[in-house]
Amino acid sequence: MEKERELKILVINGSPQKERSSTSRVTKKFLQGIEEIRPCQIEWLDIDDCKILPCKGCLSCWGRTEGECVIKGDDIPSIKEKVSAADIVIESFPLYIFGMPGTMKVFTDRMVSMLCTYEGQAPVVGKPFHGIRGGLTGKKFIIISTCGYSQADLIYDSLLSQFDMICGRENYYPLFCPQGRSFANEQLFERLEEFLEKFVEAGRELARTEKISEETIAKLREGPFSQRHYKLLMDLFWKTERAAGKKNHDSEAEK
């Protein structure tokens, strides 16, 4: 029997807390599901560890240099090579003010050199506004994100609009996990491990069928707790945080 080809998976982690973050925990569960079905070569790239200079907005990559950025001396060329070589690219980051973290936005801006040149074309609903240089054939693009809100509906609309324009609505899978603040509670670890099994199953589904169904995507957006229960957890969390802050303040005042 012919050996099944190894999948190349690139995880671009945009969480400032790196692998300690709630989003990273969710992403690792998803990867676990893929690895159970298919042989994988996984590379984990923390954006905070990369040297990425801000885009200058010169658009030379759309004209004079045809896809090559004029900025030299940072990690963008090697990251672009990794993106091009991967079968599956996963962007993993928490939601920051209804969008991506700042370091992730700087990275995304620099990916403009991977977009086709804008030549006055009108937008088409559901299609990438520019198109991707080299196309997306055979490549899977996935966003995994947690947020502290009780639900994912509406909260992610601005982020989804951006990726709809970049990739095209049907060319990526948005996997969102609400109620991320509950992950900070160590007493809930076992309960959340059980909850995260559905992300493992989503990974298995992708490995088996090479896609993730709309039904699965909708199921992933259901939080681990009822809205009432989560509100109680949030009240307790912020009460504890404020008490800790007051204690630190009083300790400093006594010095």
Side-chain angles (χ1 to χ4, degrees), residues 153-169:
D153 294 342
L154 299 178
I155 301 301
Y156 277 100
D157 283 3
S158 58
L159 184 73
L160 285 169
S161 294
Q162 184 172 14
F163 280 102
D164 284 353
M165 297 295 281
I166 295 171
C167 302
R169 191 168 299 165

Side-chain angles (χ1 to χ4, degrees), residues 29-30 33-34 175 197-207 211-212 216-217 220:
K29 290 295 184 181
F30 180 72
I34 299 175
L175 311 184
E197 182 62 28
K198 63 182 180 180
F199 284 89
V200 179
E201 183 54 44
R204 295 186 190 118
E205 180 180 326
L206 179 68
K211 61 183 180 180
I212 306 173
T216 295
I217 290 172
L220 296 179

Side-chain angles (χ1 to χ4, degrees), residues 97 115 156 187 191 228 232 252-253:
I97 313 297
L115 301 181
Y156 277 100
Q187 296 178 334
R191 167 71 180 88
R228 177 180 174 277
L232 292 173
E252 288 295 321

Side-chain angles (χ1 to χ4, degrees), residues 31-240:
L31 292 171
Q32 177 186 325
I34 299 175
E35 288 183 287
E36 288 178 7
I37 306 298
R38 292 284 302 272
C40 299
Q41 176 186 331
I42 300 172
E43 181 171 5
W44 188 281
L45 185 68
D46 289 314
I47 284 295
D48 266 27
D49 289 340
C50 298
K51 181 181 179 182
I52 301 177
L53 299 172
C55 177
K56 294 179 180 296
C58 66
L59 299 182
S60 293
C61 59
W62 282 0
R64 297 181 183 183
T65 57
E66 286 294 333
E68 294 299 321
C69 183
V70 298
I71 297 173
K72 306 299 180 185
D74 70 0
D75 294 326
I76 285 296
S78 64
I79 296 175
K80 285 172 62 177
E81 288 179 6
K82 296 176 190 295
V83 170
S84 297
D87 299 303
I88 300 174
V89 177
I90 300 174
E91 289 197 2
S92 172
F93 54 84
L95 189 74
Y96 273 30
I97 313 297
F98 310 108
M100 61 185 74
T103 50
M104 202 69 188
K105 181 60 168 67
V106 172
F107 161 73
T108 302
D109 289 345
R110 289 293 303 283
M111 289 295 99
V112 69
S113 61
M114 294 193 77
L115 301 181
C116 297
T117 306
Y118 174 64
E119 298 178 347
Q121 63 269 27
V124 177
V125 175
K127 302 294 182 182
F129 192 90
H130 293 269
I132 309 295
R133 290 181 187 269
L136 291 168
T137 303
K139 193 182 298 292
K140 301 288 188 299
F141 183 51
I142 298 164
I143 302 167
I144 299 179
S145 179
T146 58
C147 68
Y149 296 100
S150 182
Q151 73 290 326
D153 294 342
L154 299 178
I155 301 301
Y156 277 100
D157 283 3
S158 58
L159 184 73
L160 285 169
S161 294
Q162 184 172 14
F163 280 102
D164 284 353
M165 297 295 281
I166 295 171
C167 302
R169 191 168 299 165
E170 297 179 358
N171 292 324
Y172 71 101
Y173 296 108
L175 311 184
F176 299 148
C177 178
Q179 302 185 8
R181 184 53 63 186
S182 61
F183 285 77
N185 190 329
E186 294 182 1
Q187 296 178 334
L188 299 174
F189 183 86
E190 294 299 328
R191 167 71 180 88
L192 292 168
E193 281 291 289
E194 181 181 337
F195 163 77
L196 288 173
E197 182 62 28
K198 63 182 180 180
F199 284 89
V200 179
E201 183 54 44
R204 295 186 190 118
E205 180 180 326
L206 179 68
R208 288 195 193 101
T209 68
E210 298 190 352
K211 61 183 180 180
I212 306 173
S213 69
E214 289 294 328
E215 181 181 6
T216 295
I217 290 172
K219 183 179 178 181
L220 296 179
R221 296 184 184 187
E222 298 171 1
F225 304 102
S226 68
Q227 188 159 346
R228 177 180 174 277
H229 190 176
Y230 186 62
K231 186 179 186 310
L232 292 173
L233 289 172
M234 288 291 288
D235 288 344
L236 177 61
F237 173 80
W238 291 119
K239 182 179 179 180
T240 303

